[in-house]
Amino acid sequence: MKPETVYAYVSRGQLTSHRRPGGRGSTFDAKEVDALIRRGGRREAAAPSGGDLVVRTGITLIDADRCYFRGVDATELAARYSYEEVADWLWTGRMRPGTRFTAPAEALAAARRSVAALPAHSGPMDRLRVAAIAAAAADPLRFDLSPDAVLDAARGLIPTLVDALPAAGRPVGEAGGGSGERGATALGSRETREARESREPDWRVGAAADGEDGRVAGATADGEGGRLVGTAADGEGDRLVGTPAGGEGGRPVETAADGEGGRFVGTAAGGEGGRFVERLWLRLTARPYDEPSLRVLEAALVLLIDHDLAASTLAARVAASARAHPYAVVSAGFGALDGPFHGAASGLAHRMLAEVLERGSAAAVVADHLRAGRRVPGLGHRLYPGEDPRARALFDMLARVPRAAEALAAAQDVVAATARHASLHANVDLALSVLSVATGMPVEAGETIFAVARTAGWIAHALEEYEERPMRMRPSGQYRGPRPPQPLP
């Protein structure tokens, strides 16, 4: 430690100096120095490549093309546990199987009202930011930064963010999307009744199920105009399964067979029922889900919980260092995530993969990117010399999802085509784009998954930072302007 640093601590009252009797210089209590180091989370030496800030953390380690959460391989966690279980374990150090997060009623109502008031063209990140602010305003205890209070806030905020989003393809204000103006859909555009009916299956009793003269058996639910969806045979032994949406005026969620003899299982679109991953799915795509697809989405949430000090995580820690409450910490993370070089990267990969499928040639699309001087999206990561382990894990799971086969093959073609020019490996953005393209999710879906998942990581970093000295994340600027004195302008 430099002498000037020591005396700066003395001037701030954080160290006590004792003048040596009859001599020059001062002495300091060793216990105070040790306590200061423990409390301050010493700033390490700058990396030789660019003077990056390095902060001690016990959350994520990236080493030898592997990613570990608290010393446990992240891919193994993703294969075994749910997002809520891993998030809670990351915060507390205790794995509690069956952990479920629940949105507080008042916070969810406020978030849904706020989301419904946004313009029709608003995107998912706009809605997530507004939902976080509304949830904060609904929590009078948000300034309590004790660990238990922060954990309570986090366990309520994450489901609030998801349940405040409208169901995919449904107007904001219907069941699952809050009250307010109608007409703005979950994809950020307006949709006519005719357009919705042309896209959605006909759930009327007696309507044909498909082109093979399948029959739907059903019955009216009650005198309130509700409808129950029955089952249908399609000639292959598959069944269409649906559930009523409940008493909130919602419609049953469409379901369909996957062509491989399996079943798609749908649930009501309301935010109160169903697993967390199911509710998120219904806000990302109007297509029905199957269990293999849900497992991929769940694994993606787990794998994206944290990734060392990414830009959004650093922003979250700076906010926590200033003792911002957890909702503000998450809002700070959202702000940094909204940039084109961070959360939006998966959208670029989605567009590229969709173009590959449309043109039928990965080589042509890759060539266009290189000719225009653009990087090929979804490839390479500065922290992994080899393949991103998160991408590898998701690709393995996507290989077991029949409807993802075409998009997965296209992604593999992109990697192969690029390998002729540079040794670049797939990253997690390319894996997310396979999921989103294959399941009819919008371009913004990958960013939404990223934002929801990373919220748990930001809370974990906030809990760490709250234990450090306040305002320690205060670097000094290196002035490059004209030297004073300068004349008045």
Side-chain angles (χ1 to χ4, degrees), residues 170-317:
R170 303 257 311 280
V172 177
E174 288 190 9
S179 60
E181 292 188 28
R182 306 283 179 113
T185 72
L187 304 185
S189 61
R190 293 192 177 275
E191 188 175 50
T192 64
R193 177 180 177 184
E194 291 75 19
R196 286 198 305 274
E197 289 178 347
S198 68
R199 176 176 51 76
E200 296 173 353
D202 192 338
W203 290 107
R204 290 171 297 176
V205 176
D210 51 33
E212 298 299 321
D213 195 29
R215 292 178 299 165
V216 176
T220 56
D222 51 32
E224 299 299 321
R227 289 174 294 169
L228 290 177
V229 181
T231 62
D234 63 0
E236 298 298 326
D238 297 321
R239 293 193 300 153
L240 301 180
V241 182
T243 60
E248 296 299 320
R251 60 171 174 75
V253 177
E254 59 184 303
T255 59
D258 63 4
E260 298 296 325
R263 290 194 305 156
F264 285 118
V265 183
T267 63
E272 288 74 16
R275 290 179 292 166
F276 178 83
V277 68
E278 293 170 352
R279 304 200 311 271
L280 177 58
W281 178 281
L282 295 173
R283 284 151 176 82
L284 295 173
T285 177
R287 294 186 186 178
Y289 56 74
D290 54 23
E291 280 302 321
S293 299
L294 279 183
R295 283 195 291 271
V296 175
L297 179 57
E298 185 95 70
L301 289 170
V302 171
L303 292 168
L304 291 169
I305 279 182
D306 191 50
H307 205 231
D308 196 34
L309 281 184
S312 57
T313 304
L314 180 59
R317 286 200 78 128

Side-chain angles (χ1 to χ4, degrees), residues 139-154 323-327 463 466:
D139 184 1
L141 303 180
R142 62 187 180 276
F143 295 104
D144 183 353
L145 302 185
S146 64
D148 287 345
V150 172
L151 291 173
D152 285 344
R323 295 303 183 261
H325 56 71
Y327 302 92
L463 287 166
Y466 288 149

Side-chain angles (χ1 to χ4, degrees), residues 29 33 35 101 145 156 183 192 213 221 278 288 314 322 325 383 397 420 426-427 447 461 482 485:
D29 190 327
V33 174
F101 297 157
L145 302 185
T192 64
D213 195 29
E278 293 170 352
L314 180 59
H325 56 71
L383 297 181
M397 299 181 76
R420 304 171 194 170
N427 62 34
E447 186 175 13
H461 281 273

